[in-house]
Amino acid sequence: MTAQPAQSARQAVQTASRDALHFINGAFTAGTTGQSWVNHCPLDNSVIGLVHEGGKAEIDAAVRAARTALDGEWGRMTVDQRTTMLGAVADEINRRFDEFLEAECLDTGKPMSLARHIDIPRGAANFKMFTDVIKTVSTEFFPTPTPDGAGAINYALRKPKGVIAVISPWNLPLLLMTWKVGPALACGNTVVVKPSEETPLTATLLGEVMNKVGVPKGVYNVVHGLGPNSAGEFLTQHPMVDAITFTGETRTGEAIMKQAAVGVRDVSFELGGKNPALVFADADMDKAIEGTLRSVFANCGQVCLGTERVFVERPIFDEFVRRLKAGAEALTLGRPEDATVNLGPLISQEHRDKVLSYYRKAVEEGATVVTGGGVPDMSDDLKDGAWVQPTIWTGLPDDAACVTEEIFGPCCHIRPFDTEEEAIALANGTPYGLACAVWTENVSRAHRVAARMDVGLCWVNSWFLRDLRTPFGGSKASGIGREGGVHSLEFYTEMTNVCLKL
Ligand code: NAD
C-alpha cells in the first residue's frame, strides 16, 4: 500500500462515498499532507472511498489534544462519571449497530453472521466490561510494623498512565481496537488510535459516537496512515506518548519496540502465532471436527488465535483428515449479507498474493493437497475479489515453511503423532506461543497437557471461548504482557505507593 497525492487518488475514486477522515480533538479533518489512498472492498475490489494519510503534523495535533484532555474535564471526572460515559458509548454503538456492521463488512468482506455475533457486540462490550472492573477493583493495603511499635500503613494508588498510542490490525478491526481503547479510557487515560490502513471505517465511526455521548474532545483521537515512515511510526516516536499498545505481526512489534525504547515507554504487544491443535484418540470426534473447522477457517483463517498446525493421534488420523476435508469442502464462500455464507475473502489482493505463494510453496515442499490449494470459481460480480480456497495439507516435513511460518489464511497442515510426549514437543516446537486447542475426553490428560503448553491461552475441547475477565496474550514471540479484566490495569495504570507512618 502506498499513498499518493489526494488529487490523483480522487480521480480513481469516481463515486467515493466513504472517505475516512482523521478525528482529532473532537473534529473530523482530512489533514494537511495532501496524501491519500483508495480503500478497496476485498469482496470485488470495488472502491469504498479515500483514506487520508496522516503525517507528523496530524500525529502531533492528536497527541497534544490527548495530553490537554488529560488535564481538563476528563481528568477531573470521578470514576463513576467516566464509566457512565463509557457505558453510553457502548449503548450508542449498539444503537448504531447496523452502521458499524455495514462498515466492518465493507472494509473486510467478512460474513455479516460473524460480525453480527462477534465483532460489533464485542466492540460495545469492551467499553462496558472494563468499567465494571475499574469500579470494583480494590487496592493493596499493608499494615507495616515499625521499631517504635506505632507502625505504618502502605497503600497503592492507581493513576492513569497518560497518553496511550493504540495501533491495531485489520482482522477484527473494531473488536481489537476497542479491546485497547475500552480499558485505556476506563482507567482515565486518553488515546491516539492508528487503525490498520486496510480497515479505517469503524474507528472513524467511533469518533461520531464519542461526540454524540459527550466524551470531551481530545480523549479519543484517530489518525489514519501507514506504518513505517508514516502515521504509525510517527505516533510511536512522539515523545509525549506515555505507552504503546499494539496488535499485529511479530516483525512490526520488533520495530515498534525499538521506537518505544526512546524515552523508555511501556509496551503491550499481542503478536503473531502458529497455533497448534492436539487431537487425541480419546477425543469426541464430532466436537473436535466442528471446533477445528472453526479454528482453521473462521474469518477466512485471519484470526491470530486460529489453528494452522493440527496434530492427530495416529489411530484416528485417517478418519480425522477425511472428515475435516468434508467439512472444509462444505464451506460456502460469498457475500457478507448471505446468511448461508461461512467464508469471506482475504483482506486484500496483496494478502491473497502472500497466501497463494504459500499454497504454491506447500506443493514444492512435498505436501499432499487434501483439498483446496488455489483460487475458487466465484460468480462474475465477485471474480475480482481476494478469494482463496479453504486448504488442507498433509505430508509436509516439520521444518517446511508452511508448517513453521504464520500464513494467516484459511489453511492448515495435519500431521500424525504416536505419544502424548511427542505431541507436546511438536506443539511447542515453534518460536510462537499464543494459543492452542487440546481435544481429549480424558480429564487428567487435559490438565497434564495444558500445563505443559508454552502458550498464553489453552482451550480444552473448545476454541475462542472468551471470558473478558481472563488474562489474554501470548508468550515467546507472540507477545508481551497480558490484557483482560484486572490484568489490563497493570498496563493502563501507573501505581504510586503511599507509606504513612502512624
Ligand atoms: P501489521 O503488523 O502489518 O500491522 C498492524 C498495525 O501496525 C497496522 O496499523 C500498521 O499500519 C502498523 N504498523 C506497521 N508498521 C509499523 C511501524 N513500523 N510503526 C508503527 N506502526 C506500524 O499486522 P496486520 O497485517 O495488520 O495484522 C495481522 C497480524 O496481526 C498477524 O500476524 C496476526 O497474528 C496478528 N494479530 C495478533 C493478535 C493477538 O491478539 N496476538 C490479534 C490479531 C492479529
Side-chain angles (χ1 to χ4, degrees):
M1 175 98 56
T2 44
Q4 53 181 318
Q7 194 66 14
S8 44
R10 170 67 68 196
Q11 282 158 12
V13 184
Q14 270 144 24
T15 55
S17 54
R18 302 288 293 258
D19 288 0
L21 299 169
H22 314 299
F23 181 69
I24 300 173
N25 205 23
F28 289 96
T29 169
T32 56
T33 64
Q35 297 285 113
S36 61
W37 65 88
V38 180
N39 187 15
H40 290 276
C41 176
L43 281 174
D44 52 8
N45 214 24
S46 60
V47 169
I48 298 171
L50 288 187
V51 189
H52 294 273
E53 183 181 29
K56 286 188 175 160
E58 286 68 36
I59 289 294
D60 190 54
V63 174
R64 283 178 191 280
R67 169 65 45 192
T68 304
L70 277 173
D71 303 325
E73 184 191 349
W74 182 249
R76 288 193 298 272
M77 279 185 188
T78 63
V79 173
D80 268 354
Q81 287 169 325
R82 206 165 64 218
T83 52
T84 301
M85 194 163 261
L86 295 178
V89 170
D91 291 343
E92 184 64 10
I93 293 174
N94 284 327
R95 200 185 63 75
R96 298 180 65 173
F97 193 96
D98 288 347
E99 281 175 78
F100 276 96
L101 184 66
E102 195 224 328
E104 203 74 306
C105 294
L106 203 56
D107 264 349
T108 60
K110 66 174 70 187
M112 281 190 171
S113 55
L114 184 72
R116 185 176 284 119
H117 289 110
I118 296 184
D119 298 66
I120 313 304
R122 270 285 306 279
N126 284 336
F127 284 99
K128 283 232 159 107
M129 212 284 295
F130 290 101
T131 65
D132 293 343
V133 171
I134 196 78
K135 277 199 293 196
T136 54
V137 74
S138 61
T139 186
E140 283 179 355
F141 172 88
F142 295 106
T144 308
T146 55
D148 65 4
I153 52 174
N154 276 281
Y155 60 94
L157 294 173
R158 281 192 186 274
K159 300 171 182 169
K161 206 165 241 174
V163 176
I164 310 286
V166 177
I167 301 184
S168 46
W170 45 256
N171 59 328
L172 301 161
L174 181 71
L175 186 160
L176 289 172
M177 186 262 292
T178 54
W179 173 242
K180 311 292 197 169
V181 172
L185 298 191
C187 291
N189 301 282
T190 56
V191 297
V192 179
V193 177
K194 210 297 283 171
S196 168
E197 48 272 42
E198 307 283 1
T199 50
L201 293 184
T202 45
T204 312
L205 205 48
L206 191 57
E208 291 181 23
V209 168
M210 295 288 174
N211 278 351
K212 176 75 193 308
V213 307
V215 172
K217 61 185 188 176
V219 170
Y220 172 81
N221 304 275
V222 178
V223 180
H224 296 291
L226 311 175
N229 199 29
S230 183
E233 187 176 320
F234 302 151
L235 176 58
T236 57
Q237 283 173 341
H238 199 291
M240 285 161 72
V241 164
D242 297 291
I244 302 164
T245 179
F246 166 73
T247 307
E249 281 190 34
T250 299
R251 221 180 18 233
T252 313
E254 287 171 354
I256 292 177
M257 200 154 176
K258 286 186 192 138
Q259 290 149 208
V262 180
V264 204
R265 274 88 52 75
D266 203 357
V267 295
S268 172
F269 282 171
E270 291 171 7
L271 308 176
K274 187 74 181 174
N275 308 305
L278 276 59
V279 187
F280 289 93
D282 57 22
D284 178 318
M285 183 63 105
D286 290 347
K287 287 186 197 156
I289 290 290
E290 189 273 335
T292 309
L293 275 172
R294 279 198 309 118
S295 75
V296 174
F297 299 113
N299 209 35
C300 202
Q302 303 165 118
V303 182
C304 54
L305 308 165
T307 303
E308 291 193 1
R309 300 180 297 143
V310 185
F311 301 106
V312 181
E313 201 165 358
R314 201 173 298 274
I316 59 164
F317 182 80
D318 290 344
E319 183 191 356
F320 187 91
V321 172
R322 183 176 51 72
R323 290 187 57 180
L324 202 74
K325 167 179 157 53
E329 290 173 354
L331 294 170
T332 310
L333 284 67
R335 287 196 168 275
E337 57 277 11
D338 183 339
T340 64
V341 161
N342 320 97
L343 242 61
L346 293 171
I347 190 67
S348 63
Q349 299 293 338
E350 195 183 351
H351 189 49
R352 184 170 89 145
D353 290 347
K354 177 186 156 187
V355 171
L356 288 176
S357 77
Y358 277 106
Y359 282 14
R360 286 190 295 275
K361 196 177 279 185
V363 175
E364 288 158 23
E365 289 180 318
T368 299
V369 181
V370 176
T371 188
V375 175
D377 279 335
M378 301 303 291
S379 54
D380 277 356
D381 55 329
L382 297 177
K383 67 178 175 9
D384 294 329
W387 303 94
V388 293
Q389 287 178 321
T391 294
I392 299 172
W393 305 291
T394 56
L396 281 168
D398 292 335
D399 61 354
C402 295
V403 178
T404 57
E405 296 171 16
E406 183 185 45
I407 301 172
F408 225 53
C411 54
C412 70
H413 177 249
I414 316 181
R415 181 211 197 277
F417 69 85
D418 292 299
T419 66
E420 188 178 298
E421 206 56 39
E422 183 193 8
I424 292 168
L426 285 166
N428 285 339
T430 167
Y432 293 109
L434 186 53
C436 71
V438 178
W439 300 91
T440 176
E441 291 295 297
N442 178 330
V443 176
S444 297
R445 166 175 280 153
H447 288 292
R448 196 167 57 229
V449 173
R452 292 187 58 196
M453 287 292 110
D454 294 338
V455 293
L457 304 144
C458 177
W459 278 287
V460 178
N461 295 332
S462 65
W463 177 76
F464 212 138
L465 181 59
R466 292 276 293 119
D467 181 328
L468 304 186
R469 295 169 298 183
T470 59
F472 180 91
S475 59
K476 301 199 282 187
S478 291
I480 296 179
R482 296 290 182 274
E483 296 197 31
V486 293
H487 309 282
S488 291
L489 304 187
E490 295 309 316
F491 181 69
Y492 294 107
T493 58
E494 199 64 85
M495 291 177 87
T496 300
N497 188 71
V498 179
C499 176
L500 187 139
K501 172 79 174 63
L502 298 172

